[in-house]
Amino acid sequence: MAIISTYPIDGSVNLTDKLIGTDVEDSSKTKNYTISSILALQSLSLTSLFSGSELTNQLPSALNTPLQVKFGAAQGDSNSVVQLAANGTLTFNQNGLYFIDVYLNFERQGSSGGTSITLFRELINDVQIGPIKSVDLATTGISVPFETLVPITTGGTYPIGSTVKFQILRDSSGVNEGGLYTQATSSSWDDVPSAFVEVYKQQLT
């Protein structure tokens, strides 16, 4: 058997490739193990890094004019793995798989008549990902909660320093009404934010 360091490097690793190891439960025999079987031993968990809430209404200034969604004050986790800017931009400063949980409280207030068509989209590095979402509001005073989960992997498809943003827009096919509204409560419960975000990072244990 040649010295291990002299073997060529496999530039196309897959889950069925094999590694050599010792089976201590079978008289320490030398055996092959697939990469997939080793990965299956690891348990995956999600760690919440931080959350943010915006308690002011967020309304586009005009038809066909995008508005970036905000999630409260600027903040980040204790290790600066992810940073949230005051304008709502999320910046990812470390390799890993992340999940962004976003809640939006769509509503229409003001004048009635016609239908408000409010659009929503996600952007990574200022490029739209996924489809446009739409909330159509023909009646004032009715809240429409919306929640979505956005994954992002940095160090792979996206480099460290990648940003994630969220935008809403009042489409000109509808009336110039609608947006994200907060809801004040009279109970002991907290007020409903116009937008909320929580960022999770996948951990191997």
Side-chain angles (χ1 to χ4, degrees):
M1 181 175 179
I3 298 174
I4 291 178
S5 61
T6 64
Y7 285 93
I9 295 175
D10 184 355
S12 180
V13 179
N14 61 67
L15 294 175
T16 58
D17 286 345
K18 298 175 181 178
L19 303 174
I20 294 176
T22 301
D23 187 351
V24 297
E25 296 177 342
D26 188 10
S27 302
S28 294
K29 293 180 180 178
T30 299
K31 294 184 178 180
N32 287 317
Y33 300 88
T34 63
I35 291 177
S36 61
S37 67
I38 294 173
L39 291 176
L41 294 174
Q42 296 178 319
S43 60
L44 303 178
S45 63
L46 294 178
T47 299
S48 175
L49 299 181
F50 63 84
S51 62
S53 297
E54 180 61 39
L55 291 173
T56 63
N57 299 333
Q58 303 188 65
L59 311 176
S61 59
L63 291 171
N64 295 338
T65 304
L67 174 70
Q68 184 167 323
V69 179
K70 299 185 296 183
F71 301 100
Q75 61 168 310
D77 65 286
S78 59
N79 296 315
S80 299
V81 173
V82 182
Q83 296 290 314
L84 171 67
N87 68 356
T89 299
L90 290 162
T91 303
F92 294 80
N93 302 312
Q94 188 180 96
N95 289 344
L97 173 60
Y98 301 86
F99 292 91
I100 310 165
D101 182 23
V102 173
Y103 165 83
L104 306 173
N105 194 47
F106 286 94
E107 190 176 342
R108 174 181 174 182
Q109 296 185 4
S111 62
S112 58
T115 299
S116 167
I117 300 176
T118 305
L119 308 180
F120 168 70
R121 69 175 184 172
E122 304 111 15
L123 303 99
I124 296 181
N125 294 330
D126 295 316
V127 176
Q128 178 184 315
I129 59 168
I132 299 290
K133 289 85 172 177
S134 173
V135 177
D136 296 357
L137 298 168
T139 305
T140 60
I142 297 178
S143 296
V144 178
F146 175 86
E147 192 165 10
T148 186
L149 190 67
V150 179
I152 177 174
T153 301
T154 53
T157 304
Y158 301 103
I160 290 177
S162 290
T163 61
V164 176
K165 302 174 184 177
F166 301 91
Q167 293 179 336
I168 61 171
L169 177 142
R170 292 172 177 164
D171 191 73
S172 58
S173 61
V175 298
N176 190 26
E177 302 288 346
L180 304 179
Y181 284 86
T182 186
Q183 178 67 54
T185 63
S186 299
S187 66
S188 60
W189 290 15
D190 295 336
D191 291 344
V192 178
S194 62
F196 170 87
V197 67
E198 187 160 10
V199 180
Y200 299 88
K201 189 174 189 294
Q202 186 184 61
Q203 308 287 351
L204 295 177
T205 60

